[in-house]
Amino acid sequence: MEGFLLEYGNLLLRWLHVIAAIAWIGESIYFVMLDLSLHPPRNEHGKKLGVFGEMWAVHGGGFYHNQKYLTNPAELPDDLHWAFWKAYSTWLSGFALFALMYLSKPTFYLVNPASPWAWATGMSGTQASIVAVAFLVVGYIAYSRMCRLISPTMNRDGLLSLAVGVMMVFVAWLSIQIFPGRAAFLITGALMATCMSANVFFWIIPGQRRMVKALKAGQTPDPLDGKLGKQRSVHNTYFTLPVVFLMLSNHYSFTYTGEYAWIIMSLFIFAGAVIRQYFVLRHTGRNDLRFPAAGIILLAVIGWLAAPSGTPAQAGGEQAAVTLEQVQGIVTARCTECHSAKPTYAGFSAAPAGVMLDTADEVLLHAQQIKTVVANQYMPLANLTQMSDEERAVIAAWSGQ
Ligand code: HEC
């Protein structure tokens, strides 16, 4: 029953998280588009009011006329629409999901038996959970410090972007050393998402509050508040695509199990950023195809790096062909404790990832997946059922039929 409740809670939180993220990212993409599509006001009235730019749109059977004022609108109504709850609820639901899945089973998901560092392989579940949460906190502090040191008044933002890129490569590499691949991708994504939400919480919203307060008091707002909010908001724009990728990567073990996992992760982050850049520029009327081209090249390199290398099947060519019975014997010994209609492994109430391997037909149905996850050592999870190298060699030599 407890296992079931965890599963159901997982589904509900995931639902909430995805909806909140769609709302947040949708709004953020919309505002980037709006900001970059503004034209100077066409009529005298707008100019007189001090409108900085405006955009006309048609949507849902009506016409919309957006006008942007910089920091000095003539009047500021009380019912201003603020955008922050979507960001906060995305982070909160995401962290709750992370706690439910990873922090509740840290020995399965957060301890990396293959880490090159002895302290990491020797961590207890609790220690691994603390390290994972610290990764997010320290990561955000380091990022924020960097912003303040390198470009305190938005004066060296090019250099800052470069530094953030280098930091993400380092984070990708570091996370892969400490955590198992799947968790490493997720935690790197969670760190970027934490930076995004924290940017809203600590920078963008407080700055806007100070600006509104100054306006209400009849003073001129400090332009630095606007600038620093903008700086963080620009980072958020380029983080969105990579973050969504890193969250989805969880379902694709080929991304995070190979020896190039951290390079693949870094390349995906850059691919996401350059693809976003294309759309950002498009809003300003520029159609610079070099950006999507660069994105496609990066994705092709990733495909090349992640593709399975020749299996040792050929090496065992002289031996008798592996039979389905042999494979099923191994699967029953090493996999069905979890991958069954009725799992017996403690903590599993349903077949993980929906993969059931009770019958020969089911094994055949999942043949390719089984070969992949056994070859790249992703399964059995943390090798909890102690699969031997000989057994892996048999699965590798199996034709899958
Ligand atoms: C201790 C429990 C456990 C054992 C033992 C185990 N698995 Fe899994 N397996 C999991 C969990 C949990 C997931 C879901 C992880 C995820 O969502 O990526 C999973 C996911 C999978 C997937 C889907 C992967 C994907 O890319 O989405 C396959 C295929 C799989 N396992 C095959 C196997 C095979 C083959 C074995 C035996 C050699 C095995 N597993 C042993 C727990 C286990």
Side-chain angles (χ1 to χ4, degrees):
M1 194 60 192
E2 192 197 321
F4 168 75
L5 287 178
L6 283 178
E7 279 286 301
Y8 191 41
N10 183 317
L11 170 61
L12 293 181
L13 273 175
R14 194 175 291 255
W15 189 29
L16 173 64
H17 183 55
V18 171
I19 298 288
I22 289 174
W24 179 19
I25 295 175
E27 186 169 66
S28 134
I29 287 178
Y30 173 78
F31 270 101
V32 170
M33 181 281 292
L34 174 61
D35 218 38
L36 296 172
S37 307
L38 296 171
H39 294 285
R42 293 201 172 85
N43 59 28
E44 285 309 315
H45 182 61
K47 282 180 203 154
K48 226 179 277 160
L49 284 175
V51 172
F52 167 75
E54 62 183 10
M55 186 188 84
W56 281 88
V58 54
H59 187 86
F63 299 95
Y64 294 79
H65 182 198
N66 280 306
Q67 296 182 314
K68 175 173 180 170
Y69 297 85
L70 289 176
T71 49
N72 52 348
E75 56 163 338
L76 199 58
D78 285 329
D79 57 350
L80 260 185
H81 171 84
W82 286 82
F84 51 81
W85 265 111
K86 299 179 189 83
Y88 302 165
S89 53
T90 304
W91 190 88
L92 290 171
S93 56
F95 190 79
L97 197 54
F98 177 66
L100 192 73
M101 291 181 65
Y102 286 79
L103 300 180
S104 74
K105 289 195 189 124
T107 43
F108 287 163
Y109 292 127
L110 291 176
V111 180
N112 180 4
S115 169
W117 297 331
W119 65 265
T121 51
M123 278 193 293
S124 70
T126 315
Q127 285 167 337
S129 298
I130 294 171
V131 172
V133 174
F135 202 87
L136 302 182
V137 177
V138 175
Y140 168 68
I141 294 175
Y143 155 79
S144 193
R145 273 283 145 107
M146 218 162 70
C147 294
R148 288 158 68 180
L149 280 177
I150 297 180
S151 187
T153 56
M154 225 183 153
N155 48 339
R156 284 187 299 191
D157 266 30
L159 185 63
L160 177 59
S161 306
L162 190 71
V164 172
V166 172
M167 172 178 162
M168 287 325 301
V169 174
F170 175 70
V171 167
W173 173 82
L174 185 66
S175 66
I176 286 283
Q177 311 305 310
I178 303 178
F179 305 106
R182 181 171 185 248
F185 272 53
L186 188 85
I187 291 173
T188 301
L191 170 57
M192 295 178 88
T194 300
C195 292
M196 290 171 68
S197 304
N199 281 343
V200 176
F201 187 78
F202 292 117
W203 293 90
I204 299 171
I205 294 297
Q208 288 173 356
R209 284 199 200 286
R210 282 192 294 272
M211 286 163 67
V212 169
K213 204 170 151 202
L215 280 172
K216 293 236 150 114
Q219 298 155 354
T220 314
D222 182 352
L224 195 57
D225 276 328
K227 277 188 179 179
L228 293 181
K230 181 75 192 165
Q231 177 185 67
R232 303 293 176 124
S233 161
V234 167
H235 292 168
N236 284 7
T237 300
Y238 294 101
F239 279 8
T240 32
L241 264 58
V243 167
V244 174
F245 159 74
L246 290 168
M247 299 294 151
L248 294 178
S249 69
N250 256 239
H251 305 287
Y252 300 90
S253 60
F254 68 86
T255 54
Y256 53 77
T257 41
E259 54 179 320
Y260 303 118
W262 70 269
I263 301 177
I264 290 178
M265 182 162 23
S266 310
L267 294 181
F268 260 119
I269 292 174
F270 290 120
V274 293
I275 292 170
R276 187 75 186 96
Q277 175 65 1
Y278 170 69
F279 287 98
V280 167
L281 289 179
R282 241 180 86 112
H283 296 312
T284 64
R286 281 174 61 191
N287 195 24
D288 194 337
L289 292 171
R290 282 173 305 173
F291 287 100
I296 290 168
I297 291 171
L298 289 175
L299 296 179
V301 173
I302 293 167
W304 176 67
L305 287 176
S309 47
T311 56
Q314 294 88 347
E318 285 168 24
Q319 294 162 11
V322 173
T323 63
L324 177 58
E325 286 70 39
Q326 263 176 295
V327 171
Q328 220 195 328
I330 298 173
V331 166
T332 307
R334 309 295 178 203
C335 317
T336 46
E337 271 181 67
C338 301
H339 291 284
S340 162
K342 291 204 162 40
T344 48
Y345 208 100
F348 289 92
S349 68
V355 177
M356 286 181 247
L357 303 173
D358 295 307
T359 66
D361 280 348
E362 287 169 340
V363 171
L364 275 179
L365 178 67
H366 296 289
Q368 198 46 53
Q369 270 179 302
I370 295 176
K371 284 168 67 74
T372 306
V373 295
V374 168
N376 63 27
Q377 313 250 335
Y378 177 45
M379 288 289 144
L381 202 61
N383 206 12
L384 290 168
T385 49
Q386 284 145 18
M387 185 172 209
S388 66
D389 289 344
E390 290 74 39
E391 288 168 329
R392 285 192 204 275
V394 172
I395 304 264
W398 174 43
S399 66
Q401 285 158 5

